[in-house]
Amino acid sequence: MIDVNIIKKDFPIFNNSEFVYLDSGATSQKPKVVLDRVISYYENDNANPFRGAYNLSIKSTEDYNNARDRVAKFINAKHNEEIIFTKNATESLNLIANTYGIDNLNSGDEVVLSIMEHHSNIVPWQRVCKLKNAKLNYFYINENFEIDEKEIETKITEKTKIVGIVSVSNVLGTINNIDKIIEKTHSVGAIVIVDISQSIAHQKFDVQKTNADFVVFSGHKMLGPFGIGVLYAKKEILENMSPFLMGGDMIEFVYEQETTFASLPNKFEAGTQNVGGAVGLSTAIDYLENIGYEEIQKHEKELITYAYEKLSNLPYIKIYASKNLENVSSVLSFNIDGIHPHDIASFLDASNICIRAGNHCAQPLMRYIGIDSTCRISFAIYNTKDDIDKLIFAIEKIYAKFEKFINKNK
Ligand SMILES: Cc1ncc(COP(=O)(O)O)c(C=O)c1O
């Protein structure tokens, strides 16, 4: 059983100030081991990797390659060169759209995304579909904020070439039926991109077991540093893809008019690599696995159930989540009758409670639900029921203060 009070001590930011952090879906806090590992890299091993013949550069290269091996093992990739380091999930998704998408889509083809995708998995496809005269379709959600199986069966057709799906919605917390979507996509000969940005700090993902073709995530949402992201793709797919960014270290030979490219994974990693970020991510993975995903899930399930119950008890709150909490991960969105989410977030900040308010980079989803923004709380391993009690207490205070104005304006 997890002792959160001990875990919390691993995170310097909680020792340095008193606050309730309920915005881990935006970015997680970082344990000291991760911070120490990044500092230790810069203090002891820092040199440009892959380029120097001297020992320090070789050490830096080793650090980077070891981090890649660690990520490969973490998601059970068959080959370590199937792991491409990027800046974040956004860059990984842009890479796929601008290489695989442009190379493989033709006029009349279809790309299917879910309406709950983050903008980073929508906007690149809008551009590429326009360029290639392909059609963009969406899986819509039911009144329980879930994608029905029927929607999967009917939207994926013989015309579908690419399907993009988020494992967990960053707004609704809905856990999508990835297995079903992958199975149906493969049955029509198309490929699947799974965006695991919101699930990887909470649930393991096995790329071989799921048979996903592309997988993306950001290090900073899973206790790692900013500036490091991952793109996984099956080796045979990556080998046939054009490179994305051009420049140093992704080449084999450069002539005045032509270039041949390096083999995997370097072909997709142009420019000086983020070694500090990669080693930090590797340590974050160690940290999460040392706690154990089963324990993490057990703890976070308790939190989400507790928060859902407490928020549901307030009659002026509307929650946007499945009633089947088995299908909800560590995110909850809600609105308070008569008070704008931005105001709620500012009032909560006055009580040192950090939540997110806005459209959460998911405007098509907001429009589909018929709202323009929500308050969003999101949990990580260091949150407690006490955090939720403080949130509820603060919300009750805010509502009590504004109730008379709200009812007057109705
Ligand atoms: C589901 C999902 N996908 C992608 C992203 C983009 O992540 P980043 O900004 O780290 O690229 C986010 C960020 O919130 C997200 O929640």
Side-chain angles (χ1 to χ4, degrees), residues 25 88-90 93 118 120 166 168 170 195 197-198 218 220-221:
N88 46 35
T90 302
L93 290 163
H118 187 276
S120 58
V166 73
V168 165
N170 68 319
D195 175 357
S197 302
Q198 285 296 337
S218 289
H220 71 92
K221 291 186 197 287

Side-chain angles (χ1 to χ4, degrees), residues 154-166:
T154 52
K155 288 287 164 65
I156 300 173
T157 70
E158 293 299 322
K159 288 186 180 168
T160 307
K161 293 292 172 291
I162 297 167
V163 173
I165 183 72
V166 73

Side-chain angles (χ1 to χ4, degrees), residues 15-208:
N15 300 328
N16 295 339
S17 52
E18 279 261 330
F19 65 106
V20 172
Y21 191 69
L22 294 170
D23 198 20
S24 295
T27 198
S28 63
Q29 298 302 341
K30 327 296 177 199
K32 188 161 184 335
V33 281
V34 168
L35 305 175
D36 286 349
R37 181 64 188 99
V38 176
I39 290 169
S40 152
Y41 166 75
Y42 283 109
E43 285 185 348
N44 300 298
D45 297 350
N46 178 55
N48 202 313
F50 296 102
R51 290 141 173 96
Y54 50 91
N55 204 31
L56 204 58
S57 173
I58 293 165
K59 182 80 184 67
S60 182
T61 307
E62 274 171 15
D63 285 342
Y64 192 67
N65 287 337
N66 289 341
R68 192 190 311 278
D69 293 348
R70 186 68 186 92
V71 174
K73 187 161 167 245
F74 175 55
I75 59 171
N76 195 27
K78 214 189 257 177
H79 311 281
N80 60 2
E81 63 266 40
E82 293 177 322
I83 306 299
I84 309 298
F85 282 124
T86 60
K87 193 168 65 171
N88 46 35
T90 302
E91 186 181 306
S92 301
L93 290 163
N94 273 271
L95 191 160
I96 302 167
N98 284 284
T99 60
Y100 188 91
I102 291 201
D103 288 350
N104 291 283
L105 285 175
N106 292 305
S107 181
D109 286 345
E110 295 187 0
V111 173
V112 188
L113 307 173
S114 84
I115 196 68
M116 62 176 89
E117 295 309 300
H118 187 276
H119 292 163
S120 58
N121 202 20
I122 293 179
V123 184
W125 293 109
Q126 290 175 339
R127 181 177 162 272
V128 170
C129 284
K130 276 197 186 112
L131 270 175
K132 304 296 292 196
N133 200 24
K135 190 170 172 217
L136 196 49
N137 281 340
Y138 289 91
F139 300 125
Y140 294 110
I141 50 174
N142 59 26
E143 61 292 339
N144 210 22
F145 306 101
E146 293 170 347
I147 300 168
D148 284 332
E149 282 206 9
K150 193 164 160 251
E151 191 68 2
I152 299 168
E153 285 295 338
T154 52
K155 288 287 164 65
I156 300 173
T157 70
E158 293 299 322
K159 288 186 180 168
T160 307
K161 293 292 172 291
I162 297 167
V163 173
I165 183 72
V166 73
S167 54
V168 165
S169 159
N170 68 319
V171 180
L172 308 167
T174 305
I175 301 171
N176 284 315
N177 189 345
I178 297 300
D179 290 338
K180 173 79 198 161
I181 290 172
I182 293 176
E183 183 201 315
K184 177 68 187 171
T185 306
H186 286 164
S187 77
V188 299
I191 61 98
V192 190
I193 302 153
V194 187
D195 175 357
I196 61 171
S197 302
Q198 285 296 337
S199 65
I200 193 60
H202 318 286
Q203 286 160 253
K204 265 291 242 191
F205 195 90
D206 183 321
V207 295
Q208 290 194 66

Side-chain angles (χ1 to χ4, degrees), residues 171-172 318-321 331-335 360 374-376:
V171 180
L172 308 167
K318 173 162 177 52
I319 303 176
Y320 304 91
V331 176
L332 270 186
S333 268
F334 60 91
N335 273 329
H360 316 294
T374 69
C375 302
R376 182 188 75 178

Side-chain angles (χ1 to χ4, degrees), residues 340-359:
H340 194 277
H342 284 147
D343 293 331
I344 298 289
S346 299
F347 295 138
L348 288 172
D349 184 44
S351 304
N352 292 326
I353 299 172
C354 311
I355 71 155
R356 174 89 183 265
N359 62 50

